[in-house]
Amino acid sequence: MQELLWILLLPVAAASGWWAAKRSMARACEETDRLTTPAYFRGLNYLLNEEPDKAIDVFVQLLEVDSETVETHLALGSLFRRRGEVERAIRIHQNLIARPALAQEQRAQALLELGMDYMRAGLYDRAENLFLELKEMKLHVRKALENLLIVYQQEKDWQSCLKTAEELASLIDDSLSLERSHFYCELAEEALRKRQKDAADKLLKKAASVDIHSVRPLHMQAHMAMEQGDCKSAIHLMKQAVKKDAYYLPEVLPDLMECYRRLSDLPALNNYLQEFLGSGADVAVALSITEIISETKGESDARAFLSKEMHLHPTLKGLLHLIDLNASLPDIQAEQMLLSMKIHVERLLAERPAYQCRKCGFVANTLHWQCPSCRSWGSIRRKSEPEE
Ligand SMILES: [Zn+2]
């Protein structure tokens, strides 16, 4: 409320002489007349009595929109939006735009504000139209494009996202290659849902070329290769992804297992994974090796490997798996003890979110390509378990 009062008192201050030195006397007198009417004080009274709606009605009627009061209206409107009172913000900005006397630059500013009000209210269609109008007017183009990009992502209109990102990239010091690569991936996902494999393939190649660091198109191409039964190509693509970003290894591990299993070549995967063992490695690596040993050499060897590994780099997930392996032993007492331990470990694990955004710290249980919190693309990755 303090902020609101301040904004509304500014014109009074200005008009009643505090700033009068900068204005012509005639103009100041005219302003004073208008702003010291009984209606103005009625408005202030409403405001002081915590009745902002009535106050706004009075002020909006009172403040004839001209070049002198537009700033006040804009400040009021953006204040309401920031406070989450979007309907009031919309009313103020609509009222501004309805005035035919408005200068073009001021009209553009009001359109931008109204567009942001609509976005805040979830009225994305309306917001989109306003930002497009601004683009057409060639005013506030950068802001309009930035907001359009948010709108299109919200609507999952990836084609428009791509077009907008390209336009925006030409205006700012950022190629937006990360975002554009993900937009191509999203389009590829759509194509795959429609069983349009050739189109998906082209889009993924585009995604990979736009952002050479991106692992997502490689993993998607690997999926497509697997579906066509081409496990060798799939393996090659997934290894390329891991080369680009070693943190991504746990995400491709299940698919790698499947490919090597289909090729009856699990020992080769074991060799590949050995390089990644060690401190800081994701426990998924040790667990995959355990699974491979269990399948190729038997459970006793697998148990021995995991015991040794957990001795060196203990993790909750690894311990849980070790309990599982030991629970299959015949000793009933050991089994009961292990099972009771397992419950605690499971509870501890369930409480720990596995993924986190590197940009804003948002935590999640599954991998989101776009952070739901800060909207960054590719910023969420698996948290490595701290050593206990
Ligand atoms: Zn984030």
Side-chain angles (χ1 to χ4, degrees), residues 22-40:
K22 286 187 181 177
R23 295 163 172 269
S24 76
M25 281 307 288
R27 177 79 205 171
C29 290
E30 192 185 297
E31 285 265 301
T32 311
D33 285 348
R34 192 172 72 225
L35 292 168
T36 50
T37 55
Y40 186 81

Side-chain angles (χ1 to χ4, degrees), residues 357-362 371-376 379-380:
C357 175
R358 280 176 292 158
K359 293 230 170 109
C360 75
F362 176 83
C371 174
S373 170
C374 69
R375 297 202 175 105
S376 304
S379 62
I380 292 189

Side-chain angles (χ1 to χ4, degrees), residues 252-282:
V252 292
L253 260 179
D255 293 325
L256 274 177
M257 285 285 269
E258 160 123 27
C259 285
Y260 277 102
R261 198 175 275 132
R262 281 199 223 163
L263 294 170
S264 306
D265 197 12
L266 281 175
L269 178 57
N270 189 355
N271 289 339
Y272 172 71
L273 291 180
Q274 289 293 332
E275 297 171 34
F276 296 94
L277 270 182
S279 62
D282 196 285

